[in-house]
Structure formats: structure tokens, C-alpha cells
Amino acid sequence: MPPVKRKWLEFTVGFLSIAFIGSYFSSHFDEFRKIAHLEPADIIAIVILSFAIHLLIGYKVLLILRQLGLRAITYWEWLKIFTVSRFINFHLTQGANVYRSVLLKKDYDFSYTKSISVMLIFSWVDVVFIFFLAWVAFALTGSHWKIGAFDLVFLLSGALFALIVFPVAVYAVFRRLDVRAPRLRWLHDKCLEMAAYTKESVRDHVLLKRFFILSAASFVLYVLAVYIAFASIGVHLSAEASLLFTVVILLNSVVNITPNNIGVMELLYGGLAHIMGLTLGEGVLACGIIRVLGYFLVGGLTLLCLGKKNKK
């Protein structure tokens, strides 16, 4: 899709989502008043959890960068780049990836191909671990939730299998393609190069072990943040409900329809809350609390990073 049309689509989806939410609360203002129940202790707890999650995600990406050869950058140098890029992503879809790629190329001569590879490896491995952790968590809690006629645990195991097998099958087919047109051949070679980086990363057992531990830690922190956000407006979720909302918020970071999925994420939370017997407004408010506090946290950290950079 052309960039201009994509931007218009993002704007339209975001505008309609926010308009719907505004319309809903205008006729259900009693639900919006629940935001007044938010206590300072809840705010502090969510901010601390969000900060810890931010540090863990940044380190996960750094592990892949180092595995692909970028060893000159320190964790704190990378964290500054990562923080600013996350703030950009609140306003521009894919803005984080562009900012990181340009800066890493300029300051560390890290190729654009490798930067794209990092993004693909991180997204794929992260989604696989999200589904795996969700599958384990729902299996341990003895979940009997169904989507249609199928158990949620069964669907998660099927999705996990597809996520692992499908990319491998596509790579096997793509590698055997005989592309002769010069431009397509260049693209084909670049895709194979990125696939080679991915293959190298997933074969690194030490990397995967560290990535999994960090993913498990951030998963638990997200569950706590989700539970506190709902509890702050008077809704106490079950363990299963907290897990499901956590899976949704984690997948939100992988696929962006609007900048940081603003509006879209709130409606997903609202719809899921409605299915669970809560109100749409309660889901939207809980999501909004996490989003707003996360925005101010990353925004504040970005100001600190840029301020220190300007002083130097």
C-alpha cells in the first residue's frame, strides 16, 4: 500500500476508534467516573512495573543486536536509543524501527539489513514465547475457556505450532526460487540474508535461554500491571482473565495498525471485557490507564536521555 494511503488508513482507523470511545462514554459517563478511584499507590505500582518492563524489553533487543555482531554499544547507550525510539513509536507507526536503524548505521555502521533482521527476529521469537507462556499459564490454571467449539489451550497450541512451522516452510520454498530479474534478485538475496541471520539466532541456545527468562519475567510483570489497572477502577480479575488481557497487550506491541495502536487497543480491551461479563468502558479505562502512564514514563525518560545528550 502506498505510504499516503496507509497514513490515511491509520488516521481513519484511529479517528473512528477514538470517536466511538468518546461516544460510548458520553452516554455512559457513570463508568468514566470510575477513573476517580485511581489511587496514588496504583499509579506508582504501574509506573514501576512499566519501567521494569521497559528495561527488560530493551535488553532483549540488545541480546539480538550483539548476536548479529554489534558489540561496541553498551547497554546504557542502547537504552537511550531504545527509549527515544519507543517514544517516537507513540506518534509514528514504524517510527521506532526507522529511528533505530538510521542511528545504528550512522554511529555504529550496523547495516540496515541487520537492523531489519533484528526487528524480524525479535518479533517472531517474542510472539512464539508469548503464545508458549500463555499456553503454559492457561494449562496450569486448568482453563476451560472456549472460542467457538475449541478449547483455548488447544487453539494456543495450534497457533504455537503454526508460528514455528510456517516461517520454516516459507524459507525452504523461498530458498529454492530461481529469481533472474536483477531487482528481484537483489531483493531475494537480501531476504535470504535476513533469513540466515534469523536461522543463526534461533540456533543460539544461550540466546534463546536468556530471551525466554526475560520474556517470562516481563510476562509476569505485565500480568501484575493489568491486574492493578483493573483493580484501581474496582474490577478484580481472575487469574485467567488477567492472563488473557496480558496476551492481548503483548501482541499489541508486535502489530501496529495505528501509532502504538491508539484507539484499537482500547477497543480490543473493551470488547474482551464485554465478552467476560464486564463493561466495555471498564476495559477501555484499564487499557487507557496503562497507556497514559506508560506514555508519560517513556516521555519523561526520553527528555532525560535527550537532555544528557545535549549537555555532552
Side-chain angles (χ1 to χ4, degrees):
M1 182 182 293
V4 175
K5 288 185 178 180
R6 186 172 65 247
K7 288 298 178 185
W8 273 108
L9 178 62
E10 290 174 8
F11 174 79
T12 303
V13 172
F15 176 80
L16 291 176
S17 300
I18 294 171
F20 177 82
I21 292 169
S23 174
Y24 177 86
F25 279 123
S26 68
S27 57
H28 298 79
F29 195 70
D30 55 321
E31 290 184 36
F32 187 76
R33 288 196 185 98
K34 291 183 178 181
I35 198 73
H37 298 156
L38 189 63
E39 298 287 343
D42 298 322
I43 296 173
I44 293 170
I46 294 173
V47 168
I48 291 173
L49 289 169
S50 298
F51 180 61
I53 291 167
H54 178 73
L55 297 179
L56 289 174
I57 295 173
Y59 190 63
K60 283 163 65 176
V61 180
L62 181 61
L63 287 177
I64 300 175
L65 285 169
R66 286 178 174 169
Q67 205 278 336
L68 293 189
L70 182 57
R71 303 187 182 278
I73 192 169
T74 66
Y75 175 62
W76 296 113
E77 289 170 343
W78 163 246
L79 191 61
K80 292 175 186 177
I81 297 173
F82 178 71
T83 299
V84 176
S85 70
R86 277 197 73 193
F87 188 69
I88 292 172
N89 210 51
F90 280 111
H91 308 91
L92 295 172
T93 306
Q94 300 302 323
N97 295 322
V98 174
Y99 175 81
R100 290 196 295 257
S101 298
V102 171
L103 217 57
L104 291 177
K105 176 65 176 176
K106 174 178 171 288
D107 294 343
Y108 299 94
D109 197 29
F110 194 70
S111 72
Y112 293 121
T113 303
K114 285 188 175 181
S115 287
I116 297 172
S117 299
V118 170
M119 176 191 69
L120 293 175
I121 295 166
F122 178 84
S123 298
W124 180 42
V125 176
D126 206 39
V127 170
V128 168
F129 281 155
I130 288 168
F131 275 92
F132 176 73
L133 290 166
W135 176 73
V136 171
F138 280 114
L140 290 176
T141 56
S143 174
H144 297 292
W145 283 7
K146 291 179 178 289
I147 297 179
F150 299 98
D151 288 331
L152 182 59
V153 174
F154 173 77
L155 290 174
L156 284 172
S157 60
L160 186 60
F161 178 78
L163 281 167
I164 295 171
V165 173
F166 181 72
V168 176
V170 170
Y171 170 68
V173 172
F174 197 72
R175 190 177 56 178
R176 288 171 171 76
L177 290 177
D178 183 18
V179 181
R180 298 184 179 181
R183 290 184 180 179
L184 291 178
R185 182 68 190 178
W186 178 86
L187 181 61
H188 178 265
D189 291 343
K190 287 296 180 183
C191 289
L192 286 179
E193 184 181 347
M194 288 186 286
Y197 291 140
T198 304
K199 188 176 179 181
E200 181 183 346
S201 296
V202 297
R203 283 183 171 180
D204 188 335
H205 295 174
V206 175
L207 171 67
L208 291 182
K209 182 180 177 180
R210 291 177 178 175
F211 202 96
F212 177 76
I213 292 171
L214 293 169
S215 295
S218 58
F219 189 89
V220 172
L221 295 179
Y222 265 121
V223 171
L224 291 174
V226 167
Y227 182 84
I228 294 170
F230 274 96
S232 69
I233 56 172
V235 178
H236 296 280
L237 297 177
S238 65
E240 289 178 292
S242 298
L243 289 170
L244 197 53
F245 278 111
T246 299
V247 171
V248 172
I249 203 171
L250 286 168
L251 292 178
N252 164 71
S253 63
V254 179
V255 180
N256 284 330
I257 299 173
T258 61
N260 205 239
N261 277 339
I262 186 167
V264 176
M265 186 64 190
E266 283 73 11
L267 287 182
L268 283 174
Y269 256 54
L272 189 56
H274 180 72
I275 292 172
M276 292 180 179
L278 306 173
T279 68
L280 185 145
E282 288 169 338
V284 171
L285 283 178
C287 181
I289 289 169
I290 295 172
R291 179 188 294 281
V292 171
L293 293 179
Y295 180 86
F296 281 108
L297 170 68
V298 177
L301 292 173
T302 298
L303 289 176
L304 286 174
C305 293
L306 294 179
K308 287 184 178 181
K309 186 176 180 181
N310 289 334
K311 284 181 181 179
K312 290 181 181 180

